[in-house]
Amino acid sequence: MERSAWGKGYAFEAAQALIGFVFSKVSLSNLVSGHASDNPASGRVLTKLGFTQIHSRELFSRARRETIVQCCYTLAR
């Protein structure tokens, strides 16, 4: 997301719409998500959406081309 869009609630609104869609129309029972540990703002968005952190893990980020620590979350319908 572009820096000019940071802090305006766009990520929250988009994720909220997606969650509503997958739980009501696709009938998924749970979702998993994650964020890089050095990006706590994304964690705050997930928490605000109702996700619960379940663990952290190391993985290779193709976007960053390096190994990162990912904080993993889950959300049940």
Side-chain angles (χ1 to χ4, degrees):
M1 187 180 289
E2 275 192 42
R3 287 185 185 248
S4 63
W6 290 5
K8 298 194 189 300
Y10 300 138
F12 176 80
E13 286 185 32
Q16 194 174 39
L18 181 63
I19 290 166
F21 174 77
V22 299
F23 283 163
S24 66
K25 303 293 184 190
V26 182
S27 299
L28 293 180
S29 59
N30 69 324
L31 295 171
V32 293
S33 187
H35 67 89
S37 64
D38 63 355
N39 184 359
S42 291
R44 287 190 294 274
V45 171
L46 291 171
T47 302
K48 187 176 176 182
L49 289 163
F51 282 81
T52 302
Q53 187 172 359
I54 52 175
H55 64 268
S56 296
R57 64 182 179 166
E58 284 191 357
L59 61 84
F60 183 77
S61 167
R62 286 183 281 173
R64 293 186 180 190
R65 297 187 176 122
E66 65 182 358
T67 299
I68 64 165
V69 174
Q70 181 190 50
C71 302
C72 302
Y73 293 74
T74 187
L75 177 67
R77 181 170 33 174

